[in-house]
């Protein structure tokens, strides 16, 4: 199949989150099994590894009504996959991807409306006869609409089907139609407007051939009023065209046997390195170095989504136990100040680093006994996959991808690899943590057995890619 994979960010080029990981790993997997897959992404000022990019389209004109955009396209290869970089400095030559670090760019609606149109345009100009266009999140949500409205008779796109991956439905791309001239001139239907506003994710959900959530449970949650981010009616209307496919994990970067960022490597057969990592983490966190004290780690953005609304009220209750807690993250200043105050008060038990450090994140994942992810919602999640690989048992809420990857000790002892609670509730979270700590202290041998089982849990991109391939085949055949 000929696959055009369109994403606003790609790992190794430009990244803000998990979308970039998928936008690299999935095309690389498709390439390995013989598909002709091409990635389309913007050429940002901050794009890395593009020094040797060659120009394949120079100053081509894209017409939208009476508007004309003159842009270029550069090309590189990423692990054997061709990547087209849309070069339009007016929109992408900035210090950030979506924002200046504080405020979202005012013209984001116009920027990604243009980018979506350019992706289709370049497929035509480069004569890439496309079977499937894989769109990702709101930034590319207009592609199914554009294809339906303007490109359905194009010889290179006439048979193309669209798949929209929803990585996080909370981000929808809502803009007033008057702020997006290129879209205003594209014949947007009246029913696609809400008080003069257009919602890019809704457009994608409405016009895409298929919609894929990044975990089976998240696909179900998107069809509920509680979990749909106010889009339940739209997702329910397309329920027959929705699927959930769990993301894979890049074990080339997250493997305790080979990880260069941790002080001692270890395997299921020889776990001694994990104890060394724990001692190193305690030392770096200025905590008492004691292998018998259970250590809970947490690496995340400090936002309401991550469950801080019910974690913070019981954090001191957790710290009353014989436990240590290490957390790294940045985010909401109000939440950060509360966490910092608790850390200052319990400095001998709780270390909080208000920062991001890749090496320290790896050390937390390797050196902790438990990994905390009490998310309010979590479309897929990757940190629980990393922690499993490192024998660090996850403590998670049964939501989205966390529900699909972590098996609770009480619910299924024969297959358990972590601890799971259900309600987004402080008391339920506290009870779950207490169960985990009790298990650590009272059943050390079983704990070590489950830790090794967790390390053998795998979520490979090849398997995810095969599910996507089957979905594509159902559209193309």
């Amino acid at each position: 199949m000929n696959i055009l994979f369109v994403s606003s960010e790609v790992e190794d080029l430009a990244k803000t989150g998990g979308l970039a990981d998928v936008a690299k790993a999935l095309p690389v997997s498709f390439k390995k099994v013989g598909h002709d897959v091409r990635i389309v992404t913007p050429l940002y000022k901050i794009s890395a590894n593009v020094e040797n990019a060659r120009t394949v389209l120079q100053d081509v004109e894209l017409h939208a009504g009476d508007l004309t955009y003159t842009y270029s396209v550069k090309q590189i290869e990423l692990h054997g996959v061709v990547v087209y970089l849309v070069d339009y400095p007016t929109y992408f030559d900035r210090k950030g991807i979506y924002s200046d670090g504080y405020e979202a760019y005012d013209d984001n609606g116009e920027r990604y409306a243009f980018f979506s149109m350019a992706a289709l345009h370049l497929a035509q100009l480069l004569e890439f006869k496309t079977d499937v266009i894989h769109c990702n999140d709101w930034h590319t949500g207009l592609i199914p609409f554009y294809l339906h409205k303007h490109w359905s008779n194009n010889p290179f796109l006439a048979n193309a089907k669209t798949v929209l991956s929803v990585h996080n439905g909370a981000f929808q791309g809502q803009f007033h139609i008057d702020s997006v001239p290129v879209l205003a001139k594209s014949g947007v239907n009246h029913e696609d407007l809400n008080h003069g506003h257009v919602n890019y994710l809704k457009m994608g959900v409405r016009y895409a051939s298929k919609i894929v959530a990044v975990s089976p449970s998240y696909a179900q949650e998107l069809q509920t009023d509680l979990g749909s981010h106010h889009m339940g009616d739209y997702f329910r209307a397309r329920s027959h065209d929705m699927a959930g496919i769990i993301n894979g994990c890049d074990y080339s970067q997250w493997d305790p046997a080979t990880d260069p960022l941790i002080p001692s490597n270890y395997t299921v057969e020889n776990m001694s390195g994990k104890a060394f990592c724990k001692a190193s983490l305690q030392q770096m966190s200025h905590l008492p170095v004691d292998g018998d004290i259970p250590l809970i780690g947490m690496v995340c953005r400090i936002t309401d989504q991550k469950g801080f609304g019910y974690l913070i009220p019981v954090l001191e209750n957790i710290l009353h136990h014989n436990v240590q807690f290490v957390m790294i993250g940045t985010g909401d200043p109000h939440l950060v100040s509360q966490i910092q105050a608790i850390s200052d008060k319990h400095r001998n038990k709780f270390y909080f680093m208000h920062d991001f450090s890749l090496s320290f994140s790896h050390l937390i994942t390797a050196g902790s006994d438990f990994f905390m992810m009490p998310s309010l919602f979590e479309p897929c999640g990757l940190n629980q996959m990393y922690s499993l690989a490192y024998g660090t048992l996850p403590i998670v809420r049964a939501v989205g991808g966390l529900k699909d990857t972590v098996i609770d000790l009480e619910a299924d002892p024969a297959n358990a690899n972590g601890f799971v609670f259900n309600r987004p509730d402080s008391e339920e979270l506290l009870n779950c943590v207490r169960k985990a700590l009790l298990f650590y202290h009272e059943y050390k041998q079983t704990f070590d057995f489950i830790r090794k089982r967790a390390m053998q849990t795998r979520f490979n991109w090849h398997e995810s890619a095969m599910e996507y391939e089957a979905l594509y085949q159902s559209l193309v055949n």
Side-chain angles (χ1 to χ4, degrees):
M1 282 182 284
N2 292 342
I3 303 163
L4 198 67
F5 197 97
V6 191
S7 177
S8 60
E9 53 184 88
V10 180
E11 171 79 22
D12 295 340
L13 303 177
K15 176 178 179 176
T16 66
L19 167 59
D21 297 287
V22 178
K24 171 190 167 185
L26 204 51
V28 168
S29 296
F30 291 143
K31 179 74 174 179
K32 286 179 179 176
V33 295
H35 298 298
D36 187 351
V37 56
R38 320 274 180 93
I39 299 172
V40 184
T41 194
L43 178 62
Y44 297 106
K45 182 178 184 178
I46 66 165
S47 294
N49 303 311
V50 295
E51 303 81 11
N52 298 320
R54 63 184 185 89
T55 301
V56 291
L57 294 173
Q58 179 73 47
D59 296 334
V60 294
E61 292 187 345
L62 171 58
H63 300 282
D66 58 356
L67 295 170
T68 300
Y69 297 87
T70 303
Y71 71 101
S72 300
V73 176
K74 296 186 177 182
Q75 179 181 322
I76 60 167
E77 278 201 8
L78 186 64
H79 297 277
V81 177
V82 170
V83 180
Y84 298 124
L85 301 151
V86 175
D87 186 12
Y88 192 69
T90 303
Y91 286 157
F92 303 125
D93 188 14
R94 304 179 183 184
K95 74 174 190 176
I97 297 180
Y98 313 119
S99 71
D100 60 7
Y102 300 97
E103 295 288 332
Y105 294 125
D106 290 338
D107 58 351
N108 274 347
E110 184 78 358
R111 295 170 77 220
Y112 290 102
F114 159 74
F115 171 63
S116 296
M117 191 175 287
L120 296 169
H121 190 225
L122 72 85
Q124 173 197 342
L125 295 177
L126 294 168
E127 300 184 351
F128 184 60
K129 194 171 176 63
T130 310
D131 296 311
V132 173
I133 305 171
H134 193 133
C135 312
N136 293 274
D137 278 349
W138 72 263
H139 322 94
T140 55
L142 294 179
I143 288 177
F145 164 74
Y146 284 148
L147 184 67
H148 170 80
K149 193 87 174 177
H150 299 290
W151 302 80
S152 57
N153 295 320
N154 184 279
F156 298 101
L157 296 165
N159 296 317
K161 306 297 183 184
T162 51
V163 172
L164 173 68
S165 278
V166 181
H167 301 265
N168 191 333
F171 301 106
Q172 298 174 8
Q174 301 182 62
F175 307 96
H176 197 280
I177 191 69
D178 292 343
S179 73
V180 192
V182 65
L183 188 55
K185 298 174 186 298
S186 298
V188 175
N189 299 318
H190 176 73
E191 57 267 34
D192 289 321
L193 293 174
N194 183 15
H195 300 292
H197 285 77
V198 61
N199 181 314
Y200 286 22
L201 186 64
K202 283 182 181 177
M203 293 280 275
V205 168
R206 180 157 186 215
Y207 290 98
S209 308
K210 294 285 183 182
I211 301 118
V212 182
V214 288
S215 69
S217 289
Y218 193 53
Q220 295 172 358
E221 289 162 14
L222 287 173
Q223 297 175 62
T224 67
D225 290 334
L226 186 64
S228 66
H229 317 287
H230 309 290
M231 280 184 54
D233 289 343
Y234 289 83
F235 286 114
R236 284 190 288 270
R238 298 298 311 277
S239 60
H240 294 298
D241 295 312
M242 282 192 70
I245 300 175
I246 197 81
N247 285 340
C249 177
D250 185 357
Y251 293 106
S252 68
Q253 295 186 44
W254 292 91
D255 184 347
T258 57
D259 190 341
L261 297 178
I262 60 177
S264 180
N265 296 118
Y266 58 95
T267 64
V268 172
E269 292 75 25
N270 183 357
M271 295 285 289
S272 59
K274 185 165 180 66
F276 189 85
C277 289
K278 180 175 180 177
S280 298
L281 176 58
Q282 290 171 324
Q283 195 168 20
M284 285 192 66
S285 304
H286 312 290
L287 297 171
V289 177
D290 186 338
D292 292 330
I293 300 177
L295 199 162
I296 301 172
M298 195 168 183
V299 179
C300 67
R301 287 178 290 113
I302 312 294
T303 65
D304 286 331
Q305 179 198 333
K306 299 303 180 180
F308 284 98
Y310 41 90
L311 171 59
I312 289 174
V314 292
L315 194 45
E316 289 196 81
N317 300 69
I318 292 171
L319 294 172
H320 287 152
H321 292 276
N322 183 25
V323 68
Q324 294 175 343
F325 206 125
V326 178
M327 183 189 303
I328 183 173
T330 61
D332 185 328
H334 176 65
L335 297 174
V336 166
S337 65
Q338 294 179 72
I339 296 165
Q340 189 65 63
I342 297 171
S343 175
D344 292 342
K345 185 178 176 182
H346 298 274
R347 199 51 211 86
N348 64 327
K349 286 190 168 187
F350 181 27
Y351 178 70
F352 172 51
M353 179 185 285
H354 180 217
D355 197 358
F356 177 76
S357 161
L358 184 62
S359 60
F360 197 64
S361 299
H362 276 247
L363 181 58
I364 290 176
T365 306
S368 300
D369 297 300
F370 300 99
F371 194 93
M372 178 82 81
M373 287 184 74
S375 304
L376 184 62
F377 67 95
E378 194 68 57
C380 177
L382 287 171
N383 282 306
Q384 84 278 14
M385 297 183 189
Y386 303 154
S387 68
L388 286 167
Y390 284 68
T392 301
L393 302 187
I395 298 172
V396 305
R397 193 168 91 79
V399 67
L402 302 177
K403 183 179 181 180
D404 295 331
T405 54
V406 182
I407 302 168
D408 181 62
L409 179 68
E410 280 189 353
D412 187 357
N415 298 293
N417 59 12
F419 300 84
V420 183
F421 68 101
N422 291 295
R423 294 194 314 273
D425 173 86
S426 294
E427 198 61 36
E428 192 157 344
L429 167 59
L430 181 58
N431 287 338
C432 187
V433 172
R434 284 172 171 163
K435 286 176 187 175
L437 296 179
L438 180 67
F439 182 66
Y440 178 90
H441 287 297
E442 298 291 330
Y443 302 97
K444 198 68 176 170
Q445 198 169 355
T446 312
F447 177 86
D448 290 338
F449 177 79
I450 292 179
R451 167 177 273 172
K452 291 180 179 181
R453 179 193 289 156
M455 291 178 69
Q456 294 169 309
T457 307
R458 283 291 182 267
F459 303 94
N460 290 306
W461 269 114
H462 176 74
E463 294 168 14
S464 301
M466 292 304 93
E467 290 192 56
Y468 278 105
E469 182 186 57
L471 183 74
Y472 293 171
Q473 292 285 8
S474 72
L475 290 171
V476 172
N477 293 339

